[in-house]
Amino acid sequence: MTHSMQNPLDQAARDVLLGNDRGGYTIPTARLYPFQWNWDSMFSAWGYSTFDIVRAWQEVELLFANQWVTGMVPHMVFHEVDPDYFPGPEVWGADQSPPTSGISQPPVAATLIRKIYEADPDTGLLHVKALYPKLVAWHDWWIRERCKDGPVAIVHPWESGRDNCPDWDIGMANVPVDDSDPYIHISRENKRRDLDLLNADQRPVATDYDRYLAILAFGRSVNWDDREMIENGPFLMADPGITFVLLRAFADLIELGRVLGEDTSGLVAQEAKLRDGLDKLWNPETGWFDAYDLRTGAFAGVLGSGAFLSYLAGVSRPALDAHFARSWDKVSYGIPSADPESERFERRRYWRGPTWPVVNSLIAMGLRDMGRKEAEARLRDETARLIEMGGFWEYYDPMDGTPCGGPSFGWTAAVWLTWCGVGRTPLTAEKET
Ligand code: GLC
């Protein structure tokens, strides 16, 4: 069978994106996530770039149209009113129109914008020109407001994109919960719509949720002022995941600047400064890049997919490579979000064990660029098999491949179209041969 044969999953993936299209932005999945999410949207755009380049740029441009004057690109944009979603705009209390959340999300934009540009440079050049200063401002915001200690620090677990991964346990344990907060009561009285839609054993637990809302209460009280969040906020942890995503994004932004003929010396200096901060993330006792709590100075002592995003930034160390091989070999499909040998590992609970195609795609991008072709091919094959077996779900049990979370998920469809499904022989054809 030839690789040029149409794979029905390609059209199915396009249909997922088109089905989640709300006119200019693409929701991650219907009902559970009904708005525009930052890094989801960037992946959707990358997915569109394989069949509708105009729509791809539209997605990116709408996200950046909601950039704050500080340079931050918010993690959610509430384009529509959905009274059933919780926590909605009133809980965030950010003074923006349309309303947005008050934090950011992993800055994959420069990296994926470069890929979308390279898919069609003629169409892309004007878009890149318009987006470039916005990207520079966003990167500048990360360095200015989140990198005071060197690596990227997050003010809320949701900022990491890996909401409830064990990395944040030590920081979350110190978040005080104010029982008089009305929103905490609303949440406890079963306003958590995620639990109506999904199995509770796949979602963050109730104590996590109280603390998520306590951080929101603080953010609201200081009008999401970054200085206040950093100096006095209830949660502040250095995140290897975002640090590596940002480091990679700097390299891609510098390349885009070069294409445009811009002076990139400022970006080069920022990138070097960020790279200098990597040693702070290295936990010599465990031999991996580790999150740490800026309030207490303690390492999380937790191995997770954030550490493996080092490959995306072209960074590796022998001890980390050994942990990568060990934890990957313990599961059957993809990179687990948490260490399968840790007692905190839960194979179906969101970011505490499951494998996420979207993270696999980023790790693979790094493996490929570093010349680790075999590892990249294995990860691609395992991720493709998850989708072939179960369809386009949010994430999967890495032991037996059971699909978990939300169905018809945008970024999973996008990584099929851009990465793991490319040139994949249709399953039916395989059977015929
Ligand atoms: C969850 C994920 C986050 C994602 C969002 C929408 O909050 O943890 O990474 O962006 O859902 O899919």
Side-chain angles (χ1 to χ4, degrees):
M1 288 294 143
T2 63
H3 279 181
S4 59
M5 169 175 266
Q6 281 282 331
N7 190 327
L9 280 173
D10 296 347
Q11 189 53 44
R14 293 191 278 268
D15 288 344
V16 166
L17 287 177
L18 296 170
N20 291 352
D21 182 6
R22 294 294 178 271
Y25 69 97
T26 306
I27 58 168
T29 182
R31 300 178 69 210
L32 184 64
Y33 296 126
F35 310 108
Q36 186 174 27
W37 262 260
N38 185 321
W39 67 329
D40 296 70
S41 219
M42 287 308 312
F43 276 95
S44 295
W46 189 26
Y48 284 124
S49 74
T50 64
F51 65 99
D52 185 347
I53 197 76
V54 173
R55 182 64 188 79
W57 288 115
Q58 195 185 21
E59 183 85 22
V60 180
E61 275 154 7
L62 188 57
L63 180 68
F64 276 85
N66 292 287
Q67 183 169 32
W68 287 22
V69 287
T70 59
M72 183 183 82
V73 182
H75 109 283
M76 295 167 72
V77 185
F78 298 100
H79 290 287
E80 277 175 31
V81 177
D82 183 339
D84 285 337
Y85 182 85
F86 185 84
E90 67 292 345
V91 191
W92 285 96
D95 185 18
Q96 300 287 319
S97 178
T100 70
S101 67
I103 57 173
S104 201
Q105 252 195 340
V108 293
T111 298
L112 299 187
I113 284 173
R114 179 175 173 192
K115 296 223 174 277
I116 298 166
Y117 163 73
E118 285 171 353
D120 179 350
D122 287 345
T123 307
L125 191 62
L126 278 180
H127 295 280
V128 171
K129 220 179 189 137
L131 285 161
Y132 182 78
K134 294 174 182 238
L135 285 165
V136 170
W138 192 24
H139 281 218
D140 192 57
W141 174 84
W142 281 107
I143 297 292
R144 198 179 66 240
E145 305 296 352
R146 293 288 189 267
C147 296
K148 295 199 183 11
D149 201 45
V152 175
I154 53 166
V155 300
H156 193 300
W158 290 342
E159 199 156 60
S160 72
R162 298 177 297 123
D163 302 5
N164 66 333
C165 64
D167 305 38
W168 319 132
D169 289 0
I170 55 166
M172 283 284 273
N174 291 333
V175 173
V177 172
D178 172 5
D179 279 313
S180 67
D181 177 353
Y183 292 120
I184 287 184
H185 285 278
I186 293 177
S187 146
R188 286 182 186 160
E189 282 148 29
N190 210 8
K191 261 289 192 172
R192 271 186 64 192
R193 192 159 176 234
D194 60 328
L195 298 185
D196 296 340
L197 299 172
L198 299 171
N199 237 332
D201 67 4
Q202 295 181 14
R203 298 290 301 172
V205 295
T207 47
D208 284 343
Y209 241 83
D210 284 358
R211 290 174 176 139
Y212 295 150
L213 291 170
I215 306 172
L216 257 58
F218 180 87
R220 211 166 49 233
S221 75
V222 299
N223 218 2
W224 295 101
D225 178 79
D226 284 312
R227 186 157 312 152
E228 278 290 339
M229 295 299 295
I230 296 293
E231 283 175 11
N232 302 315
F235 179 96
L236 189 66
M237 286 192 74
D239 176 10
I242 293 204
T243 303
F244 291 122
V245 167
L246 183 60
L247 200 54
R248 165 64 185 244
F250 264 112
D252 291 310
L253 186 54
I254 289 165
E255 176 55 23
L256 291 174
R258 203 194 51 76
V259 167
L260 295 174
E262 297 279 346
D263 173 7
T264 58
S265 53
L267 296 174
V268 171
Q270 286 177 321
E271 184 198 28
K273 190 167 163 262
L274 187 60
R275 190 174 293 273
D276 284 347
L278 291 185
D279 279 339
K280 286 205 169 174
L281 287 168
W282 185 255
N283 183 337
E285 276 174 33
T286 59
W288 59 64
F289 291 107
D290 204 359
Y292 63 88
D293 190 338
L294 276 93
R295 300 285 180 239
T296 63
F299 271 121
V302 163
L303 176 65
S305 47
F308 302 139
L309 284 167
S310 62
Y311 299 129
L312 177 67
V315 174
S316 73
R317 296 190 179 177
L320 183 75
D321 287 343
H323 284 298
F324 183 60
R326 172 183 65 74
S327 55
W328 193 4
D329 283 346
K330 280 272 158 211
V331 301
S332 305
Y333 300 98
I335 308 305
S337 47
D339 187 347
E341 291 190 311
S342 151
E343 62 199 12
R344 295 189 232 191
F345 177 79
E346 294 180 76
R347 54 196 273 191
R348 296 198 180 163
R349 196 183 292 284
Y350 221 41
W351 291 96
R352 300 184 78 87
T355 188
W356 291 67
V358 66
V359 173
N360 292 345
S361 79
L362 291 173
I363 295 173
M365 206 182 279
L367 293 172
R368 191 179 42 227
D369 291 352
M370 292 172 87
R372 301 188 183 189
K373 294 207 171 77
E374 269 178 37
E376 192 275 338
R378 172 180 161 195
L379 189 48
R380 183 157 30 97
D381 180 61
E382 289 181 5
T383 309
R385 280 195 285 138
L386 288 170
I387 293 171
E388 287 165 349
M389 292 187 306
F392 302 99
W393 287 71
E394 188 175 10
Y395 57 91
Y396 303 80
D397 179 329
M399 318 296 264
D400 66 7
T402 299
C404 298
S408 299
F409 222 89
W411 61 12
T412 307
V415 304
W416 173 270
L417 290 170
T418 51
W419 172 58
C420 65
V422 177
R424 189 94 182 153
T425 307
L427 276 186
T428 46
E430 234 166 40
K431 280 187 203 128
E432 282 161 21
T433 50

